[in-house]
């Protein structure tokens, strides 16, 4: 997998195609690459249960994607609102599921109620600095031109908007973690990576492995017999309003 991702030309992922919906960028390159990897495979072809989440912008509901083509589901769950185009599936117009649930613990728990949920959190903690809101152009462009663009008031206003959305997203993440209470929470040190930055695949994988290695003792404790019995007989209930719907 590392070898496959490291070969991707990240500058060619976000070209627009005629069918793309309203957004700053498109997903023509990403869609082509994903189709090369996934083909026409569906969720039914997977050996391990899997579900992805998205948000229908028409009904403001979280949609759980666990049937149909994997390609369609992946394009929906990566559709950053306003930046990448929403994806039509059935009667829905779907964007990134992180809009309503940045860490869908309850969805993971529903797939395997007797196993501990390992939540991987990519946003920095509230109060910490991070670069997730930095919006970089995903294609080569001369540095002087970039500097001129970033001085435009529209660009500066967009940056303020992104920072505001990021603040709300961080707080929402922490609230959802408190409500859904995953057994293990892992937070790789990737807060320095901005939206659409060119990613060093090997470095990101290393950071993920380091975070997982640090969490291994906690994971082993969670898999011990007392905790396994507790999950079997006292599966956490889902409380409160749950505006979630599955695609069928």
């Amino acid at each position: 997998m590392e070898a496959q991702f490291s070969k991707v030309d990240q500058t060619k992922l976000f070209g627009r195609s005629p069918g793309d919906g309203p957004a700053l960028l498109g997903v023509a390159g990403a869609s082509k690459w994903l189709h090369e990897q996934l083909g026409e495979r569906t969720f039914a072809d997977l050996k391990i249960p899997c579900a992805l989440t998205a948000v229908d912008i028409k009904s403001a509901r979280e949609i759980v994607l666990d049937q149909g083509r994997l390609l369609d589901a992946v394009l929906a769950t990566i559709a950053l609102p306003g930046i990448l185009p929403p994806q039509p599936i059935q009667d829905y117009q779907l964007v990134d599921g992180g809009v309503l649930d940045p860490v869908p613990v309850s969805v993971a728990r529903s797939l395997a109620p007797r196993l501990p949920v390992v939540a991987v959190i990519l946003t920095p903690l509230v109060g910490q600095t991070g670069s997730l809101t930095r919006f970089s152009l995903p294609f080569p462009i001369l540095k002087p031109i970039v500097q001129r663009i970033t001085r435009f008031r529209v660009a500066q206003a967009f940056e303020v908007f992104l920072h505001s959305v990021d603040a709300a997203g961080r707080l929402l993440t922490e609230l959802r973690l408190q409500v859904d209470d995953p057994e293990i929470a892992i937070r790789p040190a990737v807060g320095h990576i901005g939206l659409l930055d060119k990613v060093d695949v090997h470095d990101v994988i290393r950071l993920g492995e380091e975070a997982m290695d640090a969490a291994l003792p906690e994971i082993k404790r969670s898999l011990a017999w007392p905790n396994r019995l507790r999950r079997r007989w006292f599966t956490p209930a889902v409380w409160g309003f749950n505006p979630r719907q599955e695609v069928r």
Side-chain angles (χ1 to χ4, degrees):
M1 183 179 293
E2 181 174 352
Q4 287 291 95
F5 278 104
S6 62
K7 295 177 183 177
V8 175
D9 185 349
Q10 298 174 38
T11 65
K12 297 182 179 179
L13 291 177
F14 304 107
R16 293 190 63 85
S17 60
D20 284 342
L24 293 176
L25 303 172
V27 289
S31 180
K32 179 181 178 182
W33 184 82
L34 286 168
H35 191 270
E36 291 172 354
Q37 307 305 314
L38 301 174
E40 297 298 315
R41 293 185 183 89
T42 69
F43 283 91
D45 297 318
L46 300 177
K47 296 180 180 179
I48 299 175
C50 177
L52 303 179
T53 63
V55 172
D56 176 33
I57 56 177
K58 295 192 296 183
S59 63
R61 295 179 68 93
E62 182 181 20
I63 307 298
V64 177
L65 303 167
D66 59 2
Q67 294 189 10
R69 287 204 315 169
L70 292 168
L71 172 61
D72 299 329
V74 172
L75 289 175
T77 201
I78 67 171
L80 296 169
I83 298 176
L84 300 179
Q87 296 299 309
I89 295 181
Q90 296 182 10
D91 293 329
Y92 303 120
Q93 287 290 321
L94 300 179
V95 297
D96 179 12
V99 169
L100 291 181
D101 192 354
V103 189
V105 172
S106 59
V107 175
R109 185 168 282 138
S110 70
L111 294 175
R114 297 181 182 179
L115 292 177
V117 173
V118 180
V120 180
I121 307 144
L122 302 180
T123 55
L125 287 165
V126 174
Q128 289 184 345
T129 58
S131 300
L132 289 174
T133 53
R134 186 181 67 249
F135 185 78
S136 57
L137 297 174
F139 39 79
I141 190 168
L142 294 176
K143 187 174 181 180
I145 298 177
V146 173
Q147 291 174 339
R148 290 182 183 179
I149 291 174
T150 55
R151 285 199 294 266
F152 292 161
R153 287 194 176 185
V154 172
Q156 294 171 350
F158 187 60
E159 184 178 4
V160 171
F161 171 75
L162 286 178
H163 278 289
S164 302
V165 171
D166 177 62
R170 291 195 201 188
L171 182 58
L172 177 60
T173 298
E174 301 308 318
L175 291 174
R176 290 303 304 243
L177 288 172
Q178 290 181 27
V179 170
D180 294 329
D181 193 22
E183 283 76 9
I184 299 101
I186 298 176
R187 201 182 295 261
V190 294
H192 61 286
I193 302 174
L195 283 172
L196 305 180
D197 274 357
K198 185 175 181 180
V199 175
D200 184 329
V201 174
H202 305 293
D203 186 52
V204 169
I205 290 176
R206 177 185 59 80
L207 293 171
E209 289 175 343
E210 290 176 355
M212 181 60 72
D213 287 343
L216 278 178
E218 189 177 359
I219 294 174
K220 290 179 179 178
R221 284 194 297 271
S222 185
L223 290 171
W225 275 107
N227 289 321
R228 292 171 66 179
L229 289 173
R230 178 178 58 81
R231 281 192 300 273
R232 179 169 183 174
W233 297 108
F234 302 100
T235 302
V238 178
W239 299 96
F241 179 57
N242 183 27
R244 178 176 288 141
Q245 185 170 333
E246 294 187 2
V247 170
R248 296 298 182 190

Short mmCIF file of all heavy atoms in Angstrom, two decimals, residues 93-139:
data_model
loop_
_atom_site.label_atom_id
_atom_site.label_comp_id
_atom_site.label_asym_id
_atom_site.label_seq_id
_atom_site.Cartn_x
_atom_site.Cartn_y
_atom_site.Cartn_z
N GLN A 93 -26.88 14.26 -2.11
CA GLN A 93 -25.71 15.02 -2.53
C GLN A 93 -24.75 14.97 -1.35
O GLN A 93 -24.96 15.65 -0.35
CB GLN A 93 -26.09 16.45 -2.89
CG GLN A 93 -26.84 16.59 -4.20
CD GLN A 93 -25.95 16.31 -5.40
OE1 GLN A 93 -24.78 16.68 -5.42
NE2 GLN A 93 -26.49 15.63 -6.41
N LEU A 94 -23.69 14.18 -1.47
CA LEU A 94 -22.89 13.82 -0.30
C LEU A 94 -21.56 14.55 -0.25
O LEU A 94 -20.87 14.70 -1.26
CB LEU A 94 -22.63 12.31 -0.29
CG LEU A 94 -23.89 11.43 -0.23
CD1 LEU A 94 -23.50 9.95 -0.27
CD2 LEU A 94 -24.72 11.74 1.01
N VAL A 95 -21.21 14.99 0.97
CA VAL A 95 -19.91 15.58 1.24
C VAL A 95 -19.27 14.83 2.41
O VAL A 95 -19.87 13.93 3.00
CB VAL A 95 -20.02 17.09 1.56
CG1 VAL A 95 -20.56 17.85 0.36
CG2 VAL A 95 -20.88 17.33 2.80
N ASP A 96 -18.06 15.23 2.73
CA ASP A 96 -17.26 14.60 3.79
C ASP A 96 -18.07 14.39 5.07
O ASP A 96 -18.66 15.32 5.61
CB ASP A 96 -16.06 15.51 4.05
CG ASP A 96 -15.15 15.00 5.15
OD1 ASP A 96 -15.30 13.84 5.58
OD2 ASP A 96 -14.28 15.78 5.58
N GLY A 97 -18.06 13.16 5.58
CA GLY A 97 -18.79 12.84 6.80
C GLY A 97 -18.28 13.56 8.03
O GLY A 97 -18.99 13.68 9.04
N GLY A 98 -17.04 14.07 7.97
CA GLY A 98 -16.49 14.81 9.10
C GLY A 98 -17.22 16.09 9.41
O GLY A 98 -17.03 16.68 10.48
N VAL A 99 -18.09 16.53 8.52
CA VAL A 99 -18.89 17.73 8.78
C VAL A 99 -19.73 17.55 10.04
O VAL A 99 -19.89 18.48 10.84
CB VAL A 99 -19.79 18.05 7.57
CG1 VAL A 99 -20.81 19.13 7.90
CG2 VAL A 99 -18.94 18.47 6.38
N LEU A 100 -20.28 16.35 10.24
CA LEU A 100 -21.12 16.08 11.40
C LEU A 100 -20.44 15.18 12.43
O LEU A 100 -20.76 15.26 13.62
CB LEU A 100 -22.45 15.43 10.97
CG LEU A 100 -23.42 16.31 10.19
CD1 LEU A 100 -24.69 15.53 9.86
CD2 LEU A 100 -23.77 17.57 10.97
N ASP A 101 -19.55 14.31 11.99
CA ASP A 101 -18.91 13.38 12.92
C ASP A 101 -17.48 13.12 12.46
O ASP A 101 -17.23 12.21 11.67
CB ASP A 101 -19.71 12.07 12.97
CG ASP A 101 -19.28 11.18 14.12
OD1 ASP A 101 -18.30 11.54 14.81
OD2 ASP A 101 -19.91 10.13 14.35
N PRO A 102 -16.53 13.92 12.96
CA PRO A 102 -15.14 13.79 12.50
C PRO A 102 -14.50 12.45 12.82
O PRO A 102 -13.59 12.02 12.11
CB PRO A 102 -14.42 14.93 13.24
CG PRO A 102 -15.50 15.89 13.61
CD PRO A 102 -16.71 15.06 13.87
N VAL A 103 -14.97 11.78 13.88
CA VAL A 103 -14.43 10.47 14.25
C VAL A 103 -15.62 9.54 14.52
O VAL A 103 -16.11 9.47 15.64
CB VAL A 103 -13.53 10.56 15.51
CG1 VAL A 103 -12.81 9.24 15.74
CG2 VAL A 103 -12.52 11.69 15.38
N PRO A 104 -16.10 8.83 13.49
CA PRO A 104 -17.35 8.05 13.62
C PRO A 104 -17.18 6.78 14.45
O PRO A 104 -17.23 5.66 13.94
CB PRO A 104 -17.71 7.74 12.17
CG PRO A 104 -16.42 7.76 11.44
CD PRO A 104 -15.56 8.79 12.12
N VAL A 105 -17.00 6.96 15.75
CA VAL A 105 -16.78 5.84 16.66
C VAL A 105 -17.99 4.90 16.68
O VAL A 105 -17.85 3.68 16.65
CB VAL A 105 -16.48 6.36 18.08
CG1 VAL A 105 -16.45 5.22 19.09
CG2 VAL A 105 -15.17 7.12 18.09
N SER A 106 -19.19 5.48 16.74
CA SER A 106 -20.38 4.64 16.87
C SER A 106 -20.58 3.76 15.64
O SER A 106 -21.09 2.64 15.75
CB SER A 106 -21.61 5.51 17.11
OG SER A 106 -21.81 6.42 16.05
N VAL A 107 -20.19 4.25 14.47
CA VAL A 107 -20.30 3.43 13.26
C VAL A 107 -19.34 2.25 13.34
O VAL A 107 -19.70 1.11 13.03
CB VAL A 107 -20.02 4.28 12.00
CG1 VAL A 107 -20.02 3.40 10.75
CG2 VAL A 107 -21.05 5.38 11.86
N ALA A 108 -18.11 2.52 13.76
CA ALA A 108 -17.13 1.44 13.92
C ALA A 108 -17.61 0.42 14.95
O ALA A 108 -17.49 -0.79 14.76
CB ALA A 108 -15.78 2.01 14.33
N ARG A 109 -18.16 0.91 16.04
CA ARG A 109 -18.63 0.01 17.11
C ARG A 109 -19.78 -0.87 16.61
O ARG A 109 -19.89 -2.04 17.01
CB ARG A 109 -19.05 0.83 18.32
CG ARG A 109 -19.44 0.01 19.54
CD ARG A 109 -19.55 0.90 20.76
NE ARG A 109 -18.25 1.22 21.32
CZ ARG A 109 -17.90 2.43 21.76
NH1 ARG A 109 -18.76 3.43 21.69
NH2 ARG A 109 -16.70 2.64 22.26
N SER A 110 -20.62 -0.33 15.75
CA SER A 110 -21.74 -1.12 15.23
C SER A 110 -21.27 -2.27 14.34
O SER A 110 -21.97 -3.27 14.20
CB SER A 110 -22.71 -0.22 14.46
OG SER A 110 -22.12 0.22 13.24
N LEU A 111 -20.09 -2.12 13.74
CA LEU A 111 -19.56 -3.17 12.87
C LEU A 111 -19.02 -4.35 13.67
O LEU A 111 -19.05 -5.49 13.20
CB LEU A 111 -18.46 -2.61 11.97
CG LEU A 111 -18.88 -1.57 10.93
CD1 LEU A 111 -17.65 -1.02 10.22
CD2 LEU A 111 -19.85 -2.17 9.93
N ALA A 112 -18.49 -4.08 14.86
CA ALA A 112 -17.90 -5.14 15.69
C ALA A 112 -18.07 -4.76 17.16
O ALA A 112 -17.12 -4.30 17.80
CB ALA A 112 -16.43 -5.33 15.35
N PRO A 113 -19.27 -4.94 17.72
CA PRO A 113 -19.56 -4.47 19.08
C PRO A 113 -18.68 -5.09 20.16
O PRO A 113 -18.52 -4.51 21.23
CB PRO A 113 -21.03 -4.87 19.27
CG PRO A 113 -21.57 -5.04 17.90
CD PRO A 113 -20.44 -5.54 17.07
N ARG A 114 -18.12 -6.27 19.91
CA ARG A 114 -17.34 -6.95 20.94
C ARG A 114 -15.85 -6.65 20.87
O ARG A 114 -15.07 -7.19 21.65
CB ARG A 114 -17.57 -8.46 20.86
CG ARG A 114 -19.02 -8.85 21.12
CD ARG A 114 -19.22 -10.35 21.06
NE ARG A 114 -20.61 -10.71 21.28
CZ ARG A 114 -21.08 -11.95 21.26
NH1 ARG A 114 -20.24 -12.95 21.03
NH2 ARG A 114 -22.36 -12.19 21.45
N LEU A 115 -15.46 -5.81 19.95
CA LEU A 115 -14.05 -5.43 19.82
C LEU A 115 -13.86 -3.98 20.27
O LEU A 115 -14.78 -3.17 20.15
CB LEU A 115 -13.58 -5.59 18.38
CG LEU A 115 -13.50 -7.01 17.83
CD1 LEU A 115 -13.09 -6.98 16.36
CD2 LEU A 115 -12.53 -7.86 18.64
N PRO A 116 -12.68 -3.65 20.79
CA PRO A 116 -12.43 -2.26 21.16
C PRO A 116 -12.36 -1.37 19.93
O PRO A 116 -11.87 -1.78 18.88
CB PRO A 116 -11.08 -2.32 21.88
CG PRO A 116 -10.42 -3.54 21.33
CD PRO A 116 -11.52 -4.52 21.05
N VAL A 117 -12.84 -0.16 20.07
CA VAL A 117 -12.76 0.82 18.98
C VAL A 117 -11.48 1.63 19.14
O VAL A 117 -11.24 2.22 20.20
CB VAL A 117 -13.98 1.75 18.97
CG1 VAL A 117 -13.79 2.86 17.93
CG2 VAL A 117 -15.25 0.96 18.68
N VAL A 118 -10.67 1.64 18.10
CA VAL A 118 -9.46 2.45 18.07
C VAL A 118 -9.75 3.67 17.20
O VAL A 118 -9.88 3.56 15.99
CB VAL A 118 -8.26 1.66 17.52
CG1 VAL A 118 -7.02 2.54 17.49
CG2 VAL A 118 -8.02 0.40 18.34
N ALA A 119 -9.89 4.82 17.83
CA ALA A 119 -10.21 6.05 17.10
C ALA A 119 -8.92 6.76 16.73
O ALA A 119 -8.08 7.03 17.59
CB ALA A 119 -11.09 6.95 17.97
N VAL A 120 -8.77 7.06 15.45
CA VAL A 120 -7.59 7.78 14.96
C VAL A 120 -8.02 9.22 14.68
O VAL A 120 -8.85 9.47 13.82
CB VAL A 120 -7.02 7.13 13.69
CG1 VAL A 120 -5.80 7.90 13.20
CG2 VAL A 120 -6.66 5.67 13.96
N ILE A 121 -7.45 10.15 15.43
CA ILE A 121 -7.86 11.55 15.38
C ILE A 121 -6.77 12.36 14.68
O ILE A 121 -5.62 12.36 15.11
CB ILE A 121 -8.09 12.09 16.81
CG1 ILE A 121 -9.05 11.16 17.56
CG2 ILE A 121 -8.61 13.51 16.79
CD1 ILE A 121 -8.72 11.01 19.01
N LEU A 122 -7.15 13.03 13.62
CA LEU A 122 -6.17 13.74 12.80
C LEU A 122 -6.12 15.24 13.09
O LEU A 122 -5.22 15.93 12.61
CB LEU A 122 -6.46 13.52 11.32
CG LEU A 122 -6.47 12.05 10.87
CD1 LEU A 122 -6.77 11.96 9.37
CD2 LEU A 122 -5.15 11.37 11.19
N THR A 123 -7.08 15.75 13.86
CA THR A 123 -7.09 17.18 14.17
C THR A 123 -6.34 17.44 15.47
O THR A 123 -6.38 16.63 16.39
CB THR A 123 -8.53 17.69 14.32
OG1 THR A 123 -9.21 16.89 15.30
CG2 THR A 123 -9.27 17.61 13.01
N PRO A 124 -5.66 18.58 15.58
CA PRO A 124 -5.01 18.94 16.84
C PRO A 124 -6.06 19.19 17.93
O PRO A 124 -7.23 19.42 17.65
CB PRO A 124 -4.25 20.23 16.51
CG PRO A 124 -4.19 20.27 15.01
CD PRO A 124 -5.42 19.57 14.53
N LEU A 125 -5.61 19.13 19.17
CA LEU A 125 -6.49 19.45 20.29
C LEU A 125 -6.91 20.92 20.25
O LEU A 125 -6.21 21.76 19.67
CB LEU A 125 -5.79 19.16 21.61
CG LEU A 125 -5.60 17.68 21.99
CD1 LEU A 125 -4.58 17.56 23.11
CD2 LEU A 125 -6.93 17.07 22.40
N VAL A 126 -8.04 21.22 20.86
CA VAL A 126 -8.45 22.61 21.00
C VAL A 126 -7.37 23.36 21.78
O VAL A 126 -6.91 22.91 22.83
CB VAL A 126 -9.80 22.70 21.74
CG1 VAL A 126 -10.15 24.16 22.01
CG2 VAL A 126 -10.89 22.03 20.93
N GLY A 127 -6.93 24.48 21.26
CA GLY A 127 -5.88 25.26 21.92
C GLY A 127 -4.50 25.04 21.34
O GLY A 127 -3.60 25.85 21.56
N GLN A 128 -4.32 23.94 20.59
CA GLN A 128 -3.03 23.69 19.96
C GLN A 128 -2.99 24.32 18.58
O GLN A 128 -4.02 24.43 17.90
CB GLN A 128 -2.77 22.18 19.84
CG GLN A 128 -2.49 21.49 21.15
CD GLN A 128 -2.15 20.02 20.94
OE1 GLN A 128 -2.39 19.45 19.88
NE2 GLN A 128 -1.60 19.40 21.97
N THR A 129 -1.81 24.73 18.17
CA THR A 129 -1.66 25.26 16.82
C THR A 129 -1.55 24.11 15.84
O THR A 129 -1.08 23.02 16.17
CB THR A 129 -0.41 26.14 16.70
OG1 THR A 129 0.74 25.36 17.08
CG2 THR A 129 -0.52 27.35 17.61
N GLY A 130 -2.01 24.35 14.63
CA GLY A 130 -1.95 23.33 13.59
C GLY A 130 -2.07 23.98 12.23
O GLY A 130 -2.40 25.17 12.12
N SER A 131 -1.81 23.22 11.19
CA SER A 131 -1.81 23.77 9.84
C SER A 131 -2.91 23.19 8.97
O SER A 131 -2.89 23.33 7.76
CB SER A 131 -0.45 23.51 9.16
OG SER A 131 0.59 24.09 9.90
N LEU A 132 -3.89 22.52 9.59
CA LEU A 132 -4.94 21.90 8.79
C LEU A 132 -5.72 22.93 7.99
O LEU A 132 -6.30 22.61 6.96
CB LEU A 132 -5.89 21.11 9.70
CG LEU A 132 -5.31 19.81 10.28
CD1 LEU A 132 -6.30 19.21 11.26
CD2 LEU A 132 -4.97 18.82 9.20
N THR A 133 -5.76 24.16 8.48
CA THR A 133 -6.53 25.18 7.79
C THR A 133 -5.74 25.87 6.69
O THR A 133 -6.29 26.69 5.96
CB THR A 133 -7.00 26.26 8.79
OG1 THR A 133 -5.87 26.74 9.50
CG2 THR A 133 -8.01 25.69 9.75
N ARG A 134 -4.45 25.57 6.57
CA ARG A 134 -3.68 26.20 5.50
C ARG A 134 -4.08 25.58 4.17
O ARG A 134 -4.03 24.38 3.98
CB ARG A 134 -2.18 25.99 5.73
CG ARG A 134 -1.33 26.76 4.73
CD ARG A 134 0.15 26.53 4.96
NE ARG A 134 0.54 25.17 4.68
CZ ARG A 134 0.91 24.30 5.60
NH1 ARG A 134 0.93 24.64 6.87
NH2 ARG A 134 1.26 23.06 5.27
N PHE A 135 -4.50 26.42 3.26
CA PHE A 135 -4.98 25.94 1.96
C PHE A 135 -3.91 26.20 0.92
O PHE A 135 -3.66 27.33 0.53
CB PHE A 135 -6.28 26.67 1.58
CG PHE A 135 -6.89 26.15 0.31
CD1 PHE A 135 -7.61 24.97 0.31
CD2 PHE A 135 -6.75 26.85 -0.87
CE1 PHE A 135 -8.19 24.50 -0.86
CE2 PHE A 135 -7.32 26.39 -2.04
CZ PHE A 135 -8.04 25.21 -2.03
N SER A 136 -3.26 25.14 0.47
CA SER A 136 -2.20 25.29 -0.52
C SER A 136 -2.70 24.79 -1.87
O SER A 136 -3.54 23.89 -1.94
CB SER A 136 -0.96 24.49 -0.10
OG SER A 136 -1.30 23.14 0.10
N LEU A 137 -2.18 25.38 -2.93
CA LEU A 137 -2.58 24.96 -4.27
C LEU A 137 -1.95 23.62 -4.60
O LEU A 137 -0.74 23.45 -4.46
CB LEU A 137 -2.15 26.01 -5.29
CG LEU A 137 -2.81 27.38 -5.12
CD1 LEU A 137 -2.19 28.38 -6.10
CD2 LEU A 137 -4.31 27.30 -5.32
N PRO A 138 -2.75 22.62 -5.03
CA PRO A 138 -2.24 21.27 -5.24
C PRO A 138 -1.61 21.07 -6.61
O PRO A 138 -1.69 20.01 -7.19
CB PRO A 138 -3.51 20.42 -5.10
CG PRO A 138 -4.58 21.30 -5.63
CD PRO A 138 -4.20 22.71 -5.23
N PHE A 139 -0.99 22.12 -7.15
CA PHE A 139 -0.31 21.97 -8.43
C PHE A 139 0.83 22.98 -8.48
O PHE A 139 0.81 24.00 -7.78
CB PHE A 139 -1.26 22.19 -9.61
CG PHE A 139 -2.25 23.30 -9.40
CD1 PHE A 139 -1.89 24.62 -9.57
CD2 PHE A 139 -3.55 23.00 -9.02
CE1 PHE A 139 -2.80 25.64 -9.37
CE2 PHE A 139 -4.47 24.03 -8.81
CZ PHE A 139 -4.09 25.34 -9.00
#
